[in-house]
Amino acid sequence: MSEEIKNSEAQGAQPERKKRIFSAIQPSGTITLGNYVGALRNWVKLQDDYDCIFAVADLHAITVRQDPKAFRRNILEAYALFLACGIDTEKSIFFLQSHVHTHAELAWLLNCYTQFGELSRMTQFKDKSTKHADNVNAGLFTYPTLMAADILLYQADLVPIGADQKQHLELARNIADRFNGIYGRTFTVPDGYIPKVGARIKSLQDPTKKMSKSDENANAWVAILDKPETIMKKFKRAVTDSEAKVCVGEGKDGINNLIGIMSAVTGKTDEQITAEFEGKGYGDFKVAVAEAVIEEVRPIQERFDKLIADKAYLEEQYRRSAELATKISQRTLDKAMKKIGYVAR
Ligand code: AMP
Ligand code: TRP
């Protein structure tokens, strides 16, 4: 809780404060239908009920080697796409992580309150260091302390994350607890926020796995920016079963997934969808799912095209947000530095 809130509560004013949410996503090029349904779309909804701060985690992204030109393009495209999906800078703060200097600074401090053993236990580090065995850099190892800094700088109450980030959030909580234990209350200890609704979208080629942009088979995922004909083609090729009956069932992972996607984009229940396609074949159903997805992404793509062509507008948005984020996070950084014993600037 911030100092102002505490004071105003003590005076009996404004007992309600919106909880603060922080989240970030890496600018890795392709944003899939899975990312949209599982993360992005939820962020958009959260904006009305929470005090939201979001970032494009471009500092995190260089733990794997990036081509400078493509990297710059991916960062801007991620920013524009999120705005196109409905992140609204009138309601939320939405910035590029590298534009707010406090992140790297607090990350350094927190590195000194994080144990080698703790970081060694991170499963993502173990996975990634096997996968990129030629570049096991120190950043890959300390990545979770940067993520902790992202969250703790804003005194976030809640952090929307996917299951793969739970261990990192747990570490952020431990670091906050440890620091608070040594110096007195400095950081809010954040909770994970797993949205109630949020289907797990599965791969179109192997529906037992989640849809992931890192899948080398491009037919396995649908990108929000895929052209309509590409989306249609990918759905037509989706793996199904031999029963030829549109209904939810065991051993029908492919059809279950398509029904899930249809439900996620149209808001219809599984029962409504099943009733609608009774007696119809998989071919018709696949086309209908593709059309529903195309309709969902069409307005996003139109807004994206306008935004990406308007660099001045984008710049205005990320600059203003970075200024606000710097102000908020500087207070936390100053507080932490004072507690450690640094001389005030
Ligand atoms: P990633 O692309 O794996 O870094 O994930 C970024 C965010 O998107 C996380 O919050 C994930 O939970 C979410 N996400 C990624 N893939 C899917 C999927 N197939 N279904 C639902 N959510 C997903
Ligand atoms: N590490 C997260 C991911 O790869 C992205 C991220 C960076 C993040 N900083 C964060 C998520 C802070 C939540 C809070 O998906």
Side-chain angles (χ1 to χ4, degrees):
M1 200 184 287
S2 72
E3 291 304 321
E4 302 100 309
I5 304 294
K6 244 191 261 165
N7 293 340
S8 65
E9 268 186 8
Q11 291 155 14
Q14 296 182 358
E16 285 290 324
R17 174 183 80 112
K18 279 189 185 173
K19 288 204 167 177
R20 174 162 292 160
I21 281 198
F22 180 90
S23 199
I25 195 165
Q26 292 203 48
S28 39
T30 317
I31 302 286
T32 66
L33 188 63
N35 295 134
Y36 176 68
V37 170
L40 246 176
R41 201 170 65 164
N42 298 318
W43 291 11
V44 172
K45 289 189 206 137
L46 292 170
Q47 295 182 108
D48 292 320
D49 299 324
Y50 296 93
D51 173 12
C52 291
I53 303 182
F54 300 123
V56 174
D58 55 358
L59 293 176
H60 280 91
I62 63 163
T63 52
V64 296
R65 192 75 68 233
Q66 301 283 348
D67 167 66
K69 244 173 131 180
F71 187 38
R72 192 170 297 120
R73 192 182 58 233
N74 284 341
I75 295 169
L76 268 185
E77 285 189 358
Y79 192 83
L81 184 57
F82 281 40
L83 291 185
C85 286
I87 300 296
D88 180 351
T89 51
E90 296 296 323
K91 294 183 191 163
S92 306
I93 295 177
F94 179 41
F95 63 97
L96 305 180
Q97 186 188 25
S98 60
H99 287 184
V100 179
H101 66 87
T102 50
H103 290 248
E105 290 177 41
L106 184 64
W108 168 254
L109 302 182
L110 297 184
N111 269 331
C112 303
Y113 297 84
T114 308
Q115 297 304 306
F116 183 86
E118 288 180 293
L119 292 173
S120 311
R121 283 194 289 278
M122 295 293 117
T123 54
Q124 194 179 73
F125 171 70
K126 291 190 228 168
D127 291 349
K128 286 203 177 170
S129 50
T130 316
K131 219 164 130 191
H132 304 277
D134 56 335
N135 184 21
V136 185
N137 60 76
L140 194 63
F141 188 63
T142 60
Y143 166 119
T145 57
L146 177 59
M147 180 161 159
D150 296 343
I151 298 164
L152 301 182
L153 275 171
Y154 300 96
Q155 309 288 355
D157 302 294
L158 297 171
V159 184
I161 37 158
D164 58 327
Q165 297 297 320
K166 275 192 193 157
Q167 203 186 19
H168 293 161
L169 183 71
E170 200 50 45
L171 181 64
R173 289 169 55 89
N174 290 342
I175 296 171
D177 267 332
R178 182 172 306 144
F179 197 99
N180 290 346
I182 302 171
Y183 299 108
R185 216 200 142 292
T186 310
F187 300 119
T188 301
V189 180
D191 285 311
Y193 181 89
I194 317 287
K196 282 180 217 91
V197 283
R200 277 264 129 210
I201 306 289
K202 300 292 191 347
S203 155
L204 296 183
Q205 290 299 311
D206 177 359
T208 58
K209 289 195 318 200
K210 82 164 194 178
M211 180 183 284
S212 168
K213 60 199 161 203
S214 55
D215 203 313
E216 61 251 22
N217 181 354
N219 284 321
W221 44 263
V222 171
I224 298 299
L225 294 177
D226 272 347
K227 291 197 182 71
E229 53 276 23
T230 309
I231 296 178
M232 183 58 79
K233 191 187 75 195
K234 287 180 178 177
F235 275 104
K236 280 187 175 166
R237 289 188 187 161
V239 168
T240 51
D241 55 78
S242 55
E243 198 190 27
K245 192 161 180 269
V246 180
C247 64
V248 178
E250 226 172 286
K252 293 173 69 79
D253 297 314
I255 287 296
N256 295 346
N257 186 37
L258 293 181
I259 292 176
I261 293 173
M262 189 68 156
S263 168
V265 298
T266 61
K268 290 182 190 164
T269 63
D270 294 357
E271 292 74 27
Q272 284 171 321
I273 295 164
T274 316
E276 205 176 305
F277 287 90
E278 205 183 325
K280 295 208 177 110
Y282 286 170
D284 289 343
F285 184 53
K286 287 178 178 179
V287 169
V289 177
E291 280 170 350
V293 170
I294 291 166
E295 278 318 302
E296 175 83 5
V297 301
R298 188 194 308 280
I300 298 174
Q301 294 189 352
E302 285 169 6
R303 284 194 294 272
F304 173 82
D305 289 342
K306 283 205 194 100
L307 285 163
I308 202 67
D310 193 350
K311 297 287 187 301
Y313 176 80
L314 290 178
E315 189 178 324
E316 200 183 306
Q317 306 312 306
Y318 60 65
R319 273 206 181 162
R320 195 161 47 104
S321 275
E323 266 172 38
L324 294 170
T326 303
K327 241 193 199 152
I328 298 170
S329 58
Q330 186 74 60
R331 292 182 55 191
T332 305
L333 180 64
D334 287 348
K335 191 164 150 190
M337 291 181 78
K338 190 173 166 195
K339 296 219 172 175
I340 294 171
Y342 286 104
V343 176
R345 276 170 240 260

